[in-house]
């Protein structure tokens, strides 16, 4: 029943009663204040309710100063800083239980930003909390274990490390001497999968070719025009 002055074009575009809108805002302010009271929150200094989509500064019941929209607070009723503190505490407990430590410049930000930790062997590791929880572990420790497994295999195969041998990872070539003394460049991954000395393989093929052709001649056979071993 409010008397409203309004252009027809505004009415067509959806503009409603300004008095009702004002009353709605007043009601929203009261509802929001009641929500703050229920949560034990308060407005930050010089902050006031504008509308449900505009961020305002608030102080949560733990004393954190945050900016949030009234709609977001009404929907979730949580302080992002409180949540972050909880995640930080839980992560740091996991680090200690795993036997790891914290570097001097350790700083927790969120679950996806890398932090500086010390593994059980004392290696400095940059890793995000989320990757730590996935048991990604220390790359240096994994590299060291892979190196030892590879080097034990080299020795047991009768091969020797060259003067320039240096292990980097499983896909970077290293220099070795095969059991026949040939210098080879090969990746640890290829060596583990069974790849060996190319020169030995070539010599073995040449020897097999000679043996086969000698056997053919010994039997009195001849080679065809298109013969190719």
């Amino acid at each position: 029943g409010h008397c409203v002055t309004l252009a027809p074009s505004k009415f067509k575009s959806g503009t409603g009663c300004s008095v009702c809108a004002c009353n709605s805002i007043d009601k929203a302010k009261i509802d929001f204040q009641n929500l703050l009271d229920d949560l034990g929150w308060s407005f930050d200094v010089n902050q006031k309710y504008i509308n449900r989509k505009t961020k305002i500064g608030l102080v949560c019941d733990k004393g954190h100063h945050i900016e949030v929209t009234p709609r977001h607070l009404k929907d979730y009723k949580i302080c992002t800083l409180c949540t972050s503190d909880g995640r930080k505490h839980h992560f740091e407990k996991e680090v200690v239980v795993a036997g790891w430590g914290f570097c001097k410049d350790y700083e927790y930000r969120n679950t996806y930003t890398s932090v500086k930790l010390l593994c059980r062997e004392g290696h400095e590791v940059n890793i995000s909390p989320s990757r730590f929880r996935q048991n990604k572990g220390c790359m240096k420790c994994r590299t060291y274990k892979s190196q030892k497994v590879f080097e034990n295999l080299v020795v047991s195969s009768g091969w020797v490390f060259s003067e320039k041998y240096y292990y980097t990872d499983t896909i970077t070539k290293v220099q070795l001497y095969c059991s026949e003394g040939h210098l080879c460049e090969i990746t640890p991954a290829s060596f583990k999968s069974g790849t060996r000395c190319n020169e030995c393989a070539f010599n073995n093929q040449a020897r097999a070719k000679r043996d086969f052709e000698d056997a053919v001649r010994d039997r009195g056979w001849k080679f065809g025009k298109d013969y190719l071993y």
Side-chain angles (χ1 to χ4, degrees), residues 185-196:
E185 286 195 351
I186 188 171
T187 66
S190 295
F191 191 87
K192 288 178 181 178
S193 66
T195 301
R196 291 297 184 266

Side-chain angles (χ1 to χ4, degrees), residues 129-140:
S130 61
R131 286 181 65 82
F132 182 84
R133 292 191 179 99
Q134 296 168 9
N135 295 319
K136 296 299 181 182
C138 173
M139 278 296 299
K140 291 181 180 179

